[in-house]
């Protein structure tokens, strides 16, 4: 759960930015307590749509988290029914917000300073346990690259690893194959690159964000210093 302390403007160090404020409607506004889970689907859809207008692109394509906020229990009891949409820059998927000193407006237009591109995996001191990744320019050594975001059809949250593979891997592999310039068969049998993905948590899924960010991942800790987009069957 995020906590917030307002600052004067976006040039002051801050962790998130409010870009839209509206009102809850329908069943989301009529309950005896603030809405949660699937009751926030309309709110999520509204925030997602407004985020695209604000950023100039899909927030999933950036190092960003979209935060949907509704009144606290105390505010709700007093009659508040607002919907607030915030964006936060993060280092990696599911990570905590980092401080910024500028607005995110139009951050996915032009040179797209916040866009997901290439990254380097981070391992524990044993050299085997995967911990995280660090965003890296594609001209520097890296071993993973963002290929797109796959959104599942409406279905229950895939709570186990096997369920996530069944629900999300085929969609990510299709995106990866297109990005790399391969057929899906060529990709799934490739000896140097495969597809990894990061799926949102259950709370976000139930709100309507049924997505996985998808990455081309080089095997055996191999690195490259160029983008893999459109590389096809050429040697890395």
């Amino acid at each position: 759960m995020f906590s917030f302390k307002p600052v004067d403007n976006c040039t002051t160090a801050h962790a998130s930015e409010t870009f839209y404020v509206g009102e809850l409607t329908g069943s989301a506004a009529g309950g005896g307590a603030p809405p949660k889970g699937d009751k926030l689907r309309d709110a999520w859809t509204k925030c997602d749509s407004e985020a695209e207008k604000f950023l100039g692109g899909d927030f999933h394509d950036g190092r960003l988290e979209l935060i949907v906020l509704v009144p606290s229990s105390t505010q709700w009891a007093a009659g508040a029914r607002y919907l607030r949409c915030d964006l936060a820059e993060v280092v990696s998927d599911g990570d905590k917000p980092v401080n910024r000193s500028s607005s995110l407006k139009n951050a996915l237009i032009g040179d797209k300073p916040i866009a997901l591109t290439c990254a380097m995996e981070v391992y524990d001191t044993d050299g085997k346990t995967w911990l995280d990744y660090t965003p890296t320019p594609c001209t520097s050594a890296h071993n993973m690259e963002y290929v797109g975001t796959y959104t599942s059809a409406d279905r229950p949250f895939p709570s186990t690893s096997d369920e996530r593979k069944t629900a999300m891997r085929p969609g990510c592999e299709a995106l990866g194959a297109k990005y790399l310039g391969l057929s899906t068969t060529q990709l799934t049998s490739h000896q140097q690159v495969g597809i990894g993905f990061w799926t949102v948590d259950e709370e976000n899924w139930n709100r309507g964000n049924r997505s996985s960010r998808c990455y081309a991942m080089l095997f055996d800790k191999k690195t490259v210093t160029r983008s893999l987009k459109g590389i096809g069957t050429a040697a890395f």
Side-chain angles (χ1 to χ4, degrees):
M1 177 65 68
F2 295 100
S3 60
F4 300 90
K5 179 181 179 181
V7 296
D8 292 337
N9 55 62
C10 289
T11 60
T12 301
H14 60 278
S16 69
E17 181 174 356
T18 300
F19 63 91
Y20 178 81
V21 176
E23 291 291 320
L24 293 169
T25 59
S27 61
K36 298 179 180 179
D38 60 4
K39 292 182 180 180
L40 283 173
R41 288 196 175 196
D42 288 346
W44 164 263
T45 299
K46 181 63 175 176
C47 285
D48 187 25
S49 174
E50 293 296 329
E52 186 158 357
K53 296 176 188 176
F54 181 76
L55 294 165
D58 184 351
F59 87 90
H60 292 99
D61 294 336
R63 300 189 306 275
L64 297 165
E65 288 290 335
L66 177 58
I67 307 163
V68 179
L69 294 160
V70 297
S72 67
S73 296
T74 300
Q75 292 170 328
W76 190 268
R81 296 293 186 269
Y82 67 80
L83 163 66
R84 181 175 130 197
C85 311
D86 279 25
L87 284 162
E89 179 184 353
V90 293
V91 175
S92 60
D93 292 315
D95 206 352
K96 295 179 181 179
V98 299
N99 281 340
R100 293 179 52 83
S101 56
S102 62
S103 173
L104 287 165
K105 187 172 178 61
N106 296 329
L108 291 177
I109 293 176
D111 60 0
K112 302 180 181 180
I114 204 71
L116 284 166
T117 55
C118 298
M120 192 72 181
E121 293 176 286
V122 177
Y123 289 86
D124 203 349
T125 52
D126 61 9
K128 299 178 182 179
T129 305
W130 191 90
L131 295 177
D132 204 346
Y133 65 78
T134 301
T136 306
C138 291
T139 52
S140 299
H142 61 275
N143 57 8
M144 59 185 290
E145 185 168 349
Y146 176 69
V147 300
T149 291
Y150 171 70
T151 299
S152 168
D154 194 357
R155 54 159 291 162
F157 176 68
S159 58
T160 69
S161 177
D162 286 343
E163 288 176 350
R164 286 190 288 276
K165 287 178 182 178
T166 298
M168 312 307 280
R169 182 178 288 282
C172 277
E173 286 180 341
L175 287 174
K178 181 178 180 180
Y179 185 89
L180 295 168
L182 298 167
S183 68
T184 302
T185 300
Q186 287 173 322
L187 174 58
T188 55
S189 62
H190 208 286
Q191 299 300 303
Q192 291 183 296
V193 66
I195 295 296
F197 57 93
W198 181 85
T199 304
V200 299
D201 60 22
E202 186 170 7
E203 180 180 0
N204 273 291
W205 183 281
N206 290 337
R207 290 180 177 187
N209 181 16
R210 301 180 302 276
S211 68
S212 285
R213 283 178 169 130
C214 315
Y215 300 89
M217 313 282 292
L218 295 178
F219 299 147
D220 301 321
K221 299 183 184 177
K222 180 180 176 63
T223 62
V224 292
T225 55
R226 55 153 291 183
S227 171
L228 296 176
K229 186 173 184 178
I231 197 168
T233 58
F236 295 171

